[in-house]
């Protein structure tokens, strides 16, 4: 499908107070010459973007994510509150703060007057509400600015009419319109009049970025106090009347099923309300979670083994290695750098465990959970409980971490089935062990990479990857289809191709992904394939530099295609004092990555004198995201990415024993703790170079590569299995 032309239409919603919304109109159906060409306002479109082609994954997601009617709305209440309805999930990444900054900027409102509300699932709309692909700010930056600017123009017009003054003489400040003589009218006092205005008397265009006062300023999260004081509400905190605690007894192997069940002892225990069998196990509903957990442990269940029961780590590695074809013989006279790498399965392990509150009745269903793909959640639940999708309501709740895990909605399906079976609302919770043993995993993978060089020049680079199949059932497929990317194939192939970018002038470059269909629950883990692919590529750059007897940073500078990428590399090399003298067993490493219309570089110092307990002692990052809406939030994202990266590179992974995950919790899944993290972390945000790109997943691949390269330089041994310290 050829994407030819799109327009963002800003219009007033039919409410007694001012509400301004943005929707997408296309040449197909409603176009620029159709009945809504000028929108209900009757004026020219405030935004008119020509889109010639989809150049990368970020563009594809942006097209698919552009809001439709009533999905992205900025409202002004009579109390003077500015309410932005956000069709995304806040899972700790700070998007509500960035959205508040954008809206407050264009409205000249006080940041404390802005509320950001997470929108319910809207299955009746054309496009998905998926929160993923580091796309939220990139996709919504322009539409939010247009909506807020449209609201401001109407508020100014309403004040001008009230005062009988030319609108051009008025200004806005601190959530109010200000007259030349200093009189003020708060937005709340004007909102009803502004709602009746169809054509504003002043421009509804967004500000010139040169006049920004809030966008680009380091800002503390608007919900920080609520989070640290416990006022913030997560799914388990919600007061849903009658919702009873629920846990599930699960099989010892992945995908196992119930063979026989004796629940008599459990049913007789105090506080137990119901026991019911569901496809994934046996659910216990009780008056408290203590009662439910005790009764779950009293169940007598025999289990059928899951489909992966014959597979363990060694079998999986063999299958993956066999899937990757060998390289052909290189040209005569050339030399090669040839390496192989293995990556373990990695769970997402968000701090807040999975959960869902569900109330399923005969004629409707209502669910509350942190859902990053809420439309697909509602559609799937509707099928599972036998209801029309318009009878299923999914409320999106803030989440305590995700890293891709909450793209999947396993607890929603379970909670809905249990609620339907027992006839009561339920508050279902996965334990930490539940998610470690049965949750989604970043696919294990095997890589072969080869660089061919001749007379000191790299003339070719090949990278072949064998991976356990990536499950794309969370809604990514719907987005890709919506923007005409069916040719990219299955989710894994699409993510592999779309995340690739040839950063270097390395001659002819080829990349190949071969997925191996093994019965393990996989999912998009922060940075999806890039965290593995870029790590391999950047380790290979260091290996090429070693073979050519060149400095790794100098080689990168000479071969990088992008001036933006060179700039971030130069920044970390200077700020990190690349090449400084360090003790034996301590070394620096660098890594760079470009994706989501953003670029980043990391330099780390790693102490490997105790190889069983390596530690990154210092890290420096430099990032260019085009325009950072909230540099403080961006800094936090890159700090978190560093922690993820050093965890799975050095010590965090899980093992498979006979179709079961060996690890159970943070006691044996060795995610980095405070003692493992750097004492010193610097993040340098580069000056604006354009519109905002993505950042949520950007840092992981570069940070991982920097840690791996530091290990190689500190120990003299190139790492080929990740995590490096295994067991």
């Amino acid at each position: 499908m050829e994407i030819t032309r799109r327009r963002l239409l800003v219009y007033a919603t039919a409410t007694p107070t001012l509400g301004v919304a943005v929707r997408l109109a296309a040449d197909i159906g409603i176009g620029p010459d159709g009945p809504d060409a000028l929108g209900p306002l009757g004026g020219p479109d405030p935004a008119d973007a020509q889109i010639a082609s989809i150049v990368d994954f970020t563009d594809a997601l942006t097209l698919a994510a552009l809001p439709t009617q009533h999905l992205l709305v900025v409202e002004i209440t009579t109390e003077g509150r500015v309410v932005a309805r956000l069709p995304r999930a806040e899972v700790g990444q700070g998007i509500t703060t960035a959205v508040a900054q954008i809206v407050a900027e264009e409205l000249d409102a006080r940041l404390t007057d802005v509320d950001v509300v997470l929108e319910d699932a809207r299955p009746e709309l054309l496009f998905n509400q998926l929160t993923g692909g580091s796309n939220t700010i990139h996709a919504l930056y322009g539409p939010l600015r247009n909506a807020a600017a449209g609201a401001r123009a109407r508020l100014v017009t309403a004040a001008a009419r009230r005062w009988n003054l030319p609108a051009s003489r008025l200004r806005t400040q601190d959530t109010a319109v200000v007259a030349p003589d200093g009189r003020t009218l708060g937005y709340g006092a004007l909102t009803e009049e502004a709602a009746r205005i169809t054509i504003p008397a002043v421009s509804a265009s967004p500000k010139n970025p040169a006049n920004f006062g809030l966008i680009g300023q380091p800002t503390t999260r608007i919900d920080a106090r609520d989070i640290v004081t416990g006022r913030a509400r997560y799914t388990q905190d919600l007061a849903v009347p009658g919702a009873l605690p629920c846990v599930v007894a699960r099989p010892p192997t992945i995908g196992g099923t119930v063979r026989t069940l004796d629940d008599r002892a459990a049913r007789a225990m105090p506080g137990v309300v119901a026991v019911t069998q569901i496809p994934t196990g046996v659910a216990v509903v009780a008056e408290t979670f203590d009662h439910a957990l005790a009764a779950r442990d009293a169940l007598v269940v025999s289990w059928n083994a899951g489909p992966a029961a014959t597979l363990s780590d060694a079998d999986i590695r063999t299958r993956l290695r066999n899937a990757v074809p060998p390289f052909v013989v290189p040209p005569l006279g050339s030399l090669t750098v040839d390496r192989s790498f293995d990556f373990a399965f990695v769970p997402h392990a968000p701090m807040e465990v999975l959960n869902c509150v569900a109330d399923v009745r005969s004629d409707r269903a209502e669910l509350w959970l942190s859902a990053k793909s809420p439309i697909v959640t509602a559609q799937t639940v509707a099928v599972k409980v036998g209801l029309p999708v318009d009878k299923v309501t999914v409320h999106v709740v803030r989440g305590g971490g995700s890293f891709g895990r909450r793209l999947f909605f396993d607890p929603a399906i379970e909670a809905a089935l249990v609620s339907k079976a027992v006839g009561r609302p339920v508050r279902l919770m996965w334990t930490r062990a539940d998610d470690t043993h049965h949750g989604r995993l970043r696919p294990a993978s095997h890589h072969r990479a080869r660089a061919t060089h001749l007379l000191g020049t790299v003339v070719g680079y090949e990278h072949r990857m064998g991976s356990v199949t990536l499950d794309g059932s969370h809604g990514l497929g719907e987005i890709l289809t919506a923007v005409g990317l069916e040719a990219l194939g299955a989710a894994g192939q699409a993510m592999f191709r779309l995340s690739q970018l040839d950063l270097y002038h390395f001659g002819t470059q080829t990349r190949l992904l071969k997925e191996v269909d093994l019965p393990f629950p996989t999912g998009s883990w922060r940075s999806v394939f890039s965290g593995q692919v870029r790590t391999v590529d950047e380790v290979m750059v260091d290996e090429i530099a070693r073979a050519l007897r060149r400095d790794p940073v100098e080689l990168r500078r000479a071969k990088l295609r992008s001036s933006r990428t060179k700039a971030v590399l130069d920044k970390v090399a200077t700020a990190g004092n690349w090449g400084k003298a360090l003790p034996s067993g301590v070394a620096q490493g660098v890594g760079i990555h470009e994706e989501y219309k953003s670029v980043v570089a990391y330099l780390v110092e790693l102490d490997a004198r105790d190889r069983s307990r390596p530690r990154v002692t210092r890290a420096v990052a430099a990032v260019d995201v085009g325009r950072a809406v909230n540099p403080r939030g961006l800094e936090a994202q890159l700090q978190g990415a560093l922690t993820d990266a050093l965890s799975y590179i050095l010590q965090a992974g899980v093992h498979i024993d006979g179709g079961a995950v060996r690890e159970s919790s943070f006691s044996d899944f060795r995610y980095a703790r405070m003692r493992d993290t750097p004492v010193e972390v610097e993040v340098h945000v580069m000056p604006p170079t354009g519109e905002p790109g993505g950042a949520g997943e950007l840092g992981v691949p570069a940070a991982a590569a920097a840690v791996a390269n530091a290990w190689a330089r500190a120990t003299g041994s190139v790492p080929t299995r990740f995590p490096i310290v295994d067991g």
Side-chain angles (χ1 to χ4, degrees):
M1 181 179 69
E2 181 183 3
I3 305 297
T4 56
R5 178 181 172 91
R6 292 289 187 272
R7 286 190 176 189
L8 288 172
L9 300 180
V10 175
Y11 65 101
T13 62
T15 58
T17 56
L18 179 61
V20 178
V22 182
R23 68 172 167 169
L24 181 72
D27 285 347
I28 303 170
I30 300 175
D33 300 321
D36 288 339
L38 300 180
L41 304 180
D45 295 339
D48 188 357
Q50 297 290 337
I51 300 173
S53 63
I54 298 169
V55 297
D56 65 12
F57 186 44
T58 305
D59 286 333
L61 279 177
T62 300
L63 276 176
L66 283 172
T68 50
Q69 187 171 0
H70 300 304
L71 189 56
L72 183 60
V73 178
V74 176
E75 301 171 272
I76 312 294
T77 72
T78 54
E79 292 78 23
R81 303 300 300 174
V82 178
V83 181
R85 303 188 66 84
L86 178 63
R88 296 291 184 275
E90 171 64 72
V91 290
Q93 75 276 50
I95 57 174
T96 49
T97 300
V99 165
Q101 286 180 260
I102 295 168
V103 171
E105 179 69 75
E106 292 296 343
L107 275 167
D108 289 323
R110 291 182 293 258
L111 192 62
T112 53
D113 290 338
V114 180
D115 302 314
V116 180
V117 178
L118 303 183
E119 182 69 278
D120 291 348
R122 299 295 300 273
E124 74 277 14
L125 299 173
L126 177 61
F127 295 119
N128 204 303
Q129 291 174 234
L130 185 140
T131 306
S134 300
N135 188 255
T136 294
I137 301 305
H138 176 75
L140 301 185
Y141 176 75
L144 279 167
R145 292 182 64 205
N146 278 302
R152 176 187 173 279
R154 288 165 181 77
L155 290 162
V156 170
T157 303
R161 293 179 180 179
R162 177 93 62 97
W163 286 327
N164 196 25
L165 289 171
S168 60
R169 296 183 60 194
L170 307 183
R171 61 186 177 89
T172 49
Q173 179 182 329
D174 295 336
T175 327
V177 181
V178 184
D181 60 5
R183 285 178 293 169
T184 63
L185 275 172
Y187 288 168
L190 294 166
T191 183
E192 293 181 0
E193 293 172 66
R196 295 191 290 270
I197 292 171
T198 56
I199 303 177
V202 294
S203 171
S205 297
K207 290 181 180 179
N208 185 319
N211 298 324
F212 283 165
L214 269 176
I215 292 176
Q217 293 302 310
T219 303
T220 299
R221 289 184 54 145
I222 60 174
D223 54 0
R225 182 178 294 274
D226 287 348
I227 291 172
V228 300
T229 59
R231 291 182 61 192
R233 290 292 177 261
Y234 298 83
T235 301
Q236 291 292 7
D237 300 319
L238 301 179
V240 177
L244 293 170
C246 174
V247 295
V248 177
R250 303 179 188 279
T253 57
I254 293 171
T257 56
V258 174
R259 180 187 300 129
T260 63
L261 168 65
D262 183 349
D263 60 4
R264 289 172 294 179
R267 288 180 179 276
M269 294 178 70
V272 174
V273 175
V275 177
T276 186
Q277 188 172 326
I278 58 176
T280 50
V282 182
V284 178
V285 180
E287 294 175 1
T288 69
F289 277 112
D290 282 343
H291 289 121
L293 289 166
R296 183 197 64 176
D297 293 342
L299 293 170
V300 179
V301 188
S302 63
W303 302 92
N304 296 309
T310 60
L311 297 174
S312 296
D313 281 343
D315 310 298
I316 297 165
R317 282 195 296 271
T318 298
R319 294 279 294 273
L320 293 174
R321 290 172 181 174
N322 290 341
V324 180
F327 297 122
V328 299
V329 177
L332 187 64
S334 61
L335 301 173
T336 63
V337 178
D338 197 327
R339 300 286 184 270
S340 295
F341 304 88
D342 290 292
F343 290 81
F345 284 112
V346 179
H348 299 78
M351 189 59 67
E352 180 196 13
V353 294
L354 301 181
N355 50 67
C356 177
V357 177
D359 184 2
V360 178
R361 309 294 176 91
S362 61
D363 59 343
R364 61 176 175 82
E366 194 169 7
L367 296 92
W368 295 259
L369 77 158
S370 179
K372 292 179 69 177
S373 52
I375 291 178
V376 183
T377 303
Q379 292 168 339
T380 306
V381 168
V383 172
K384 296 292 185 180
V385 299
L387 287 172
V389 71
D390 62 353
K391 299 299 182 182
V392 177
T393 301
V394 173
H395 302 289
V396 179
V397 185
R398 75 163 68 232
S402 171
F403 321 110
R405 182 62 181 94
R406 299 184 198 278
L407 285 165
F408 297 88
F409 38 87
D410 320 44
I413 297 171
E414 291 182 337
L417 291 173
V418 174
S419 178
K420 179 180 180 179
V422 304
R424 299 282 297 272
V426 299
R427 187 183 303 276
L428 183 140
M429 178 183 71
W430 287 42
T431 66
R432 175 67 59 197
D434 286 344
D435 198 28
T436 305
H437 288 150
H438 297 279
R440 303 283 172 165
L441 300 166
R442 184 195 70 178
S445 62
H446 175 73
H447 302 250
R448 288 178 181 167
R450 184 174 73 176
T452 304
H453 58 98
L454 182 64
L455 301 177
T457 299
V458 180
V459 296
Y461 182 75
E462 302 168 90
H463 184 160
R464 299 182 179 183
M465 176 181 182
S467 172
V468 176
T469 301
L470 177 68
D471 186 344
S473 63
H474 49 61
L476 173 63
E478 285 79 357
I479 279 190
L480 294 177
T481 300
V483 293
L485 295 180
E486 298 94 330
L488 289 169
Q493 293 291 341
M495 294 305 300
F496 182 74
R497 297 182 195 181
L498 291 168
S499 66
Q500 300 310 303
L501 185 66
D502 295 337
L503 297 185
Y504 301 98
H505 292 287
F506 277 169
T508 302
Q509 301 186 41
T510 62
R511 287 178 172 84
L512 170 71
L513 170 66
K514 175 65 176 178
E515 289 192 283
V516 179
D517 193 11
L518 298 178
F520 293 98
T522 59
S524 303
W525 192 93
R526 192 177 188 183
S527 84
V528 196
F529 283 138
S530 296
Q532 302 158 77
V533 173
R534 180 58 57 197
T535 299
V536 169
D537 288 348
E538 288 290 289
V539 170
M540 288 296 292
V541 175
D542 265 36
E543 287 299 281
I544 293 166
R546 186 173 294 110
L548 299 182
R549 299 188 179 184
R550 297 178 67 174
D551 177 83
V553 170
E554 183 272 326
L555 177 66
R556 284 177 170 83
R557 288 204 83 261
K559 296 296 183 182
L560 280 169
R561 299 176 183 272
S562 165
S563 59
R564 291 177 73 200
T565 314
K566 289 179 183 178
V568 296
L569 177 62
D570 288 345
K571 185 65 178 181
V572 297
T574 301
N577 195 11
W578 170 258
K580 72 178 183 181
L582 292 168
S584 177
V586 181
Q588 297 175 318
V590 296
I592 58 179
H593 185 53
E594 181 174 347
E595 200 171 3
Y596 316 111
K597 297 189 177 297
S598 303
V599 295
V600 67
Y602 281 83
L603 180 151
V604 305
E605 295 177 7
L606 180 125
D607 186 343
R609 286 174 288 192
D610 179 355
R611 294 197 183 188
S612 66
R613 292 296 300 274
R615 182 181 180 187
V616 175
T617 56
R618 184 186 183 211
V620 180
V623 61
D624 180 348
V625 295
R627 180 179 298 277
V629 173
N630 182 7
R632 185 169 296 157
L634 176 58
E635 180 180 354
Q637 286 281 24
L638 295 187
Q639 291 173 339
L642 172 67
T643 305
D644 274 346
L646 66 89
S647 296
Y648 82 79
I649 288 296
L650 294 177
Q651 61 187 27
V654 297
H655 300 81
I656 304 298
D657 298 324
V661 174
R662 182 188 306 172
E663 288 75 15
S664 294
S665 68
F666 288 122
S667 63
D668 46 9
F669 170 57
R670 300 170 60 196
Y671 188 84
R673 305 198 179 195
M674 290 298 293
R675 64 173 180 262
D676 303 307
T677 55
V679 174
E680 183 180 353
V681 180
E682 298 176 23
V683 177
H684 300 271
V685 179
M686 306 297 279
T689 56
E691 297 291 279
E697 301 164 88
L698 175 71
V700 174
V707 174
N709 282 330
W711 170 274
R713 290 168 62 84
T715 65
S717 175
V718 179
T720 58
R721 288 186 61 181
F722 302 103
I724 295 170
V725 182
D726 191 11

